[in-house]
Amino acid sequence: MKPTIAFTGGHHNSALVVAKELRKEGYQIIWFGHKFTSRGDKSLSAEYQEVTASNIKFLELKTGKFYRKSGGDWLMIAFGFIQSLLYLIRYRPSLIFSSGGYLSVPIVITGWLLSIPSLTHEQTVVAGWANRAISPFVRKILLTHESSLKNFPKGKSVVVGLPVRKEILSRKYTKAFSPPLIYITCGKQGSHVINQEIFPIIPELVKKYTVVHQTGANTETKDMEKARRLKDKLGDLRDRYQYAPYFFAQQAATYLRSAKIIVSRAGAHNSYELLVLGKRAILIPIPWVSHNEQLLNAQLVAKNTGSLILEEKDLTPESLLKAIIELGKSPKVKPSVKLPIDATKKIISIIHQYI
């Protein structure tokens, strides 16, 4: 039996691509992650659902965010280190693979104390707080973009790109929609902020488009229920509006590949996939993320695909509808950047060197 590899971090989509390939090679995989969408909410996270659907052992990890200063977070940080220690002693993986995010910090540092080697992957165009924090404790830092090289130790860092889901690259998931498709996707948790501004213009959009809307599953905001009530009011056009809390691999690939217009945040994975496919989008970056990385992602996508950036401070139903109309009328732009799509192979080759 081949050794066990532990996965953890904040970006599960690309890490799961790597985990699945390693499991095909016979490695045992365990996963430390978020079981629920957010603290206090009991909706199962997309991470939990996708990982467990892949028959990978999932272990819920609870910890605090290190860049916050509240007493509650410090208690959760201490709990996270204790929980990480107990997990690693029990399962004793031969390697830890991190994809950044605050969950990775206690696992990687505790692993270092137990002499378990770690690798980490940075997905953003800058350098996430967590990956900078754990960089002294990992053997290798794998980067998505060359622009990140200046932020990490040269001897440890190598540019590999971002693992892309096979479905995203497959033409069989391209579908013709009539009327054309608008795909609203806002990360694994959805976006209540964007939902509030998109709901009022859905009746106008379905006159000319098919609208597929990823609402998120948060039980506190009740956006799924709002989408249901809205659909019921659309009359003869109700079939043009489809919604779900989250779309998994094949559905997401179909909508992403087939959409005429995409409305989304500007996370690392979504931005990379838009660039790979050359898709145009209206990008609404999260304004409070570390180092304003989503705005930088959005600027990269806009520069190379003709996408539009709509900052959250300017977001209203009127401004969003105006941007959709403008993007719908503008000509397509041929992407001016070519990103690597063989990152999975490169990462697995590096993993083999440390296990």
Side-chain angles (χ1 to χ4, degrees):
M1 183 180 291
K2 287 191 174 182
T4 297
I5 301 175
F7 279 72
T8 191
H11 297 86
H12 84 275
N13 285 332
S14 60
L16 187 56
V17 174
V18 176
K20 287 179 178 179
E21 290 301 314
L22 287 167
R23 198 176 58 173
K24 288 179 184 178
E25 296 183 4
Y27 291 97
Q28 307 302 304
I29 307 295
I30 58 174
W31 194 287
F32 305 119
H34 293 288
K35 185 174 182 179
F36 301 104
T37 55
S38 60
R39 192 180 298 177
D41 187 15
K42 291 302 179 182
S43 297
L44 294 175
S45 69
E47 175 186 15
Y48 175 81
Q49 293 182 68
E50 289 201 282
V51 171
T52 54
S54 302
N55 295 316
I56 292 172
K57 186 173 184 61
F58 188 100
L59 300 162
E60 184 183 11
L61 181 62
K62 297 179 179 180
T63 190
K65 295 185 177 182
F66 293 75
Y67 44 83
R68 290 182 177 173
K69 304 297 183 184
S70 70
D73 269 289
W74 286 117
L75 288 174
M76 287 302 298
I77 288 167
F79 180 83
F81 272 91
I82 294 170
Q83 191 180 27
S84 297
L85 179 64
L86 295 175
Y87 276 151
L88 292 177
I89 289 174
R90 179 178 179 183
Y91 293 99
R92 203 71 190 188
S94 297
L95 182 73
I96 296 166
F97 184 87
S98 153
S99 57
Y102 69 95
L103 279 188
S104 67
V105 178
I107 288 288
V108 168
I109 294 177
T110 305
W112 177 78
L113 292 171
L114 296 173
S115 299
I116 301 172
S118 296
L119 309 176
T120 194
H121 185 220
E122 175 59 67
Q123 295 85 13
T124 72
V125 295
V126 284
W129 182 93
N131 272 332
R132 287 188 292 114
I134 64 177
S135 62
F137 304 98
V138 302
R139 300 287 183 87
K140 206 76 174 177
I141 303 164
L142 314 177
L143 305 176
T144 299
H145 300 280
E146 289 191 9
S147 59
S148 300
L149 277 169
K150 62 180 180 294
N151 300 308
F152 294 102
K154 290 183 179 179
K156 285 186 176 182
S157 306
V158 59
V159 178
V160 297
L162 188 75
V164 178
R165 294 171 287 182
K166 290 181 178 179
E167 294 88 350
I168 295 293
L169 302 175
S170 175
R171 291 183 178 180
K172 76 176 183 178
Y173 293 108
T174 302
K175 178 182 175 182
F177 283 83
S178 181
L181 174 64
I182 293 177
Y183 180 36
I184 305 159
T185 174
C186 298
K188 55 191 176 185
Q189 296 182 22
S191 170
H192 178 60
V193 171
I194 294 175
N195 289 344
Q196 287 180 298
E197 310 306 328
I198 199 78
F199 283 141
I201 64 173
I202 293 296
E204 186 66 28
L205 293 178
V206 295
K207 293 177 182 178
K208 295 183 178 180
Y209 293 98
T210 301
V211 179
V212 172
H213 183 186
Q214 181 226 333
T215 62
N218 192 297
T219 54
E220 295 178 350
T221 62
K222 299 181 179 179
D223 284 343
M224 277 282 290
E225 176 60 20
K226 293 173 186 175
R228 184 192 66 77
R229 293 199 302 266
L230 174 60
K231 183 179 177 75
D232 288 343
K233 295 178 181 178
L234 294 177
D236 293 341
L237 298 178
R238 66 191 311 275
D239 289 342
R240 292 187 180 183
Y241 178 54
Q242 305 297 326
Y243 64 91
Y246 184 76
F247 295 107
F248 295 95
Q250 294 183 6
Q251 281 183 306
T254 298
Y255 297 142
L256 194 64
R257 290 187 60 90
S258 307
K260 179 177 182 179
I261 296 173
I262 296 162
V263 178
S264 74
R265 290 297 198 182
H269 289 92
N270 190 59
S271 297
Y272 199 90
E273 289 173 347
L274 290 172
L275 285 166
V276 166
L277 295 176
K279 303 295 289 189
R280 297 183 303 165
I282 295 162
L283 299 164
I284 308 166
I286 297 175
W288 46 262
V289 293
S290 175
H291 298 85
N292 211 12
E293 65 182 51
Q294 286 217 359
L295 179 59
L296 295 175
N297 290 338
Q299 289 171 344
L300 179 64
V301 176
K303 177 182 177 182
N304 289 283
T305 66
S307 295
L308 300 179
I309 299 173
L310 179 58
E311 293 194 44
E312 193 171 293
K313 63 181 177 62
D314 301 319
L315 179 63
T316 64
E318 293 76 19
S319 64
L320 184 53
L321 180 60
K322 181 181 178 182
I324 290 171
I325 292 171
E326 181 181 342
L327 193 63
K329 292 179 177 178
S330 64
K332 289 185 178 181
V333 176
K334 187 175 181 180
S336 55
V337 64
K338 187 172 178 62
L339 296 175
I341 57 174
D342 60 347
T344 303
K345 182 179 178 180
K346 292 176 181 176
I347 290 172
I348 290 176
S349 176
I350 293 169
I351 287 173
H352 287 160
Q353 298 172 26
Y354 291 93
I355 198 166

